[in-house]
Amino acid sequence: MHHFIAGLPKVELHLHIEGSLEPELMFELAQRNNIDISFASPDEVRAAYDFTDLQSFLDIYYQGAQVLLTKHDFFDLTWAYMLRCKADNVLHAELFFDPQTHTQRGVSFDTVMQGITTALIQAEQELGISSQLILCFLRHLDETSAFETLALAKPWREQIVAVGLDSSEVGHPPEKFARVFAAAREQGYLAVAHAGEEGPASNIIDALDILQVSRIDHGVRCVDDAQLVARLIDQKVHLTMCPLSNVKLKVFGAMDQHNIVDLLRQGVSVGINADDPAYFGGYMNDNFYAVAAAHPLTHQELALFTLHAIEASFCSTERKHALRQQVHAYVDGH
Ligand code: HPA
Ligand code: ZN
């Protein structure tokens, strides 16, 4: 099973680039930028990654991102992630980035974009990995800040495929960003949103109806509303699930309690993703291994995670076709 998973072509649709910052790179950037990070070693940083819920993670995650200052830093961060994609046979990736985490510290939107996009272009040329970028608004900040961020993105419209919504879900429901998302859609962006991770199933419904998102990030709480699950199946709404993240943040007590395989077998379009791999204990292959270890799966079922992600991705019809072919060829070869 390990062997089949390792070689399986994959598509990642739920990855926060700031969440791929490994402690070793965090240390290197802190030194390069003369920033004091109050940890003695990368191992000490790792030992601090013991989370009780989403907020306990977010506090450390925003702190870690403070070492990112120059376009060189954002390039190194993104390039390191793309090399992980190559190692895990991820052929297409859609990356979230959190501009407000950086602009709030005086790092310009353009610096962030220059570093990330240079790495993505190089990854396409040298590694053959296609990608898209999704701008996430931090939901704990206000609507005005989100509108300011959308304005900063204007010169980069062609490089950003969609807007998203992340950070603390409880207390910051989708309707808080109804007008920003409407404005973004008006400008041609697609939309996605984190919903039903820690928050209620109604957040998933509101993300679909009010924010008009194309897919839902996490969405594990959909099971609290049978009518919603029926709607997700009927309307082929994709859920970008993140199994290791959910266990690390105590959304589920253990992997064998995770509902991803149940939902897959009910006919919901679900995929496997890493979310914040540097913080949650693994990249794409590790997430697949963890799910398969707790829930025995056939080759066809494992491949279905990728096939669902391909359909839900924001790549061109041609690229989707090519990706699908690679998955089918791989499964046929086993
Ligand atoms: N949920 C909400 N916000 C986030 C996450 C997440 O899983 N990862 C990074 N920001
Ligand atoms: Zn996430």
Side-chain angles (χ1 to χ4, degrees):
M1 193 53 70
H2 250 63
H3 177 73
F4 180 83
I5 288 172
L8 177 69
K10 297 173 198 79
V11 165
E12 180 150 49
L13 303 181
H14 187 153
L15 180 282
H16 301 264
I17 193 61
E18 295 90 349
S20 71
L21 177 60
E22 292 288 342
E24 286 74 17
L25 183 57
M26 193 188 292
F27 257 74
E28 194 183 319
L29 299 185
Q31 265 178 352
R32 185 153 98 193
N33 294 326
N34 247 319
I35 294 169
D36 179 16
I37 52 170
S38 72
F39 286 104
S41 68
D43 282 341
E44 206 174 282
V45 177
R46 257 191 203 97
Y49 294 171
D50 183 21
F51 310 118
T52 51
D53 58 7
L54 175 59
Q55 194 59 50
S56 67
F57 153 70
L58 290 171
D59 294 342
I60 288 193
Y61 161 80
Y62 295 131
Q63 196 184 323
Q66 291 181 13
V67 301
L68 298 161
L69 288 187
T70 67
K71 62 183 172 189
H72 185 183
D73 302 338
F74 285 93
F75 174 89
D76 288 349
L77 173 71
T78 308
W79 184 247
Y81 167 66
M82 297 315 284
L83 291 176
R84 296 289 194 141
C85 284
K86 188 72 190 170
D88 283 10
N89 209 20
V90 174
L91 307 181
H92 175 78
E94 301 192 354
L95 285 66
F96 295 129
F97 71 115
D98 287 341
Q100 288 153 299
T101 299
H102 314 301
T103 52
Q104 280 198 327
R105 301 180 287 119
V107 175
S108 81
F109 191 97
D110 295 347
T111 295
V112 177
M113 285 300 293
Q114 283 161 1
I116 295 176
T117 56
T118 304
L120 295 183
I121 291 165
Q122 189 172 320
E124 175 115 49
Q125 290 169 345
E126 294 181 14
L127 309 175
I129 301 171
S130 57
S131 60
Q132 299 278 6
L133 260 182
I134 301 173
L135 183 169
C136 276
F137 301 115
L138 298 180
R139 65 204 306 159
H140 67 276
L141 300 180
D142 63 16
E143 184 195 40
T144 304
S145 175
F147 266 115
E148 285 165 5
T149 306
L150 185 62
L152 291 173
K154 202 118 203 202
W156 297 92
R157 176 62 198 84
E158 291 307 310
Q159 282 75 33
I160 300 169
V161 73
V163 294
L165 192 60
D166 65 3
S167 188
S168 324
E169 184 181 0
V170 174
H172 304 284
E175 58 263 32
K176 179 174 169 186
F177 297 94
R179 290 186 294 200
V180 188
F181 269 62
R185 284 185 282 101
E186 191 86 356
Q187 292 172 34
Y189 294 97
L190 295 168
V192 299
H194 284 55
E197 178 187 14
E198 280 191 346
S202 60
N203 277 358
I204 300 173
I205 298 171
D206 290 345
L208 291 169
D209 293 340
I210 301 176
L211 304 184
Q212 295 182 32
V213 298
S214 304
R215 57 189 193 226
I216 296 286
D217 299 312
H218 292 297
V220 293
R221 299 279 18 115
C222 69
V223 295
D224 298 339
D225 180 342
Q227 226 179 333
L228 172 59
V229 174
R231 175 182 177 184
L232 298 178
I233 295 167
D234 185 51
Q235 299 182 354
K236 298 184 169 47
V237 177
H238 183 74
L239 309 178
T240 65
M241 290 194 163
C242 309
L244 284 175
S245 163
N246 294 151
V247 174
K248 259 304 217 192
L249 300 187
K250 314 253 190 295
V251 172
F252 294 96
M255 195 58 83
D256 59 7
Q257 292 161 25
H258 202 291
N259 58 22
I260 184 167
V261 173
D262 239 28
L263 288 167
L264 179 81
R265 289 177 181 157
Q266 283 185 58
V268 179
S269 174
V270 289
I272 293 182
N273 306 270
D275 207 2
D276 301 283
Y279 293 87
F280 299 150
Y283 290 77
M284 283 290 269
N285 284 358
D286 295 319
N287 273 274
F288 272 80
Y289 297 147
V291 171
H295 308 264
L297 288 153
T298 64
H299 287 179
Q300 276 71 23
E301 286 175 323
L302 287 164
L304 200 47
F305 289 121
T306 298
L307 291 170
H308 282 322
I310 293 169
E311 296 319 311
S313 75
F314 295 143
C315 27
S316 67
T317 310
E318 298 75 42
R319 181 69 179 147
K320 282 188 185 183
H321 182 71
L323 290 168
R324 236 182 263 124
Q325 299 270 82
Q326 292 202 52
V327 176
H328 290 309
Y330 183 76
V331 175
D332 290 346
H334 284 75

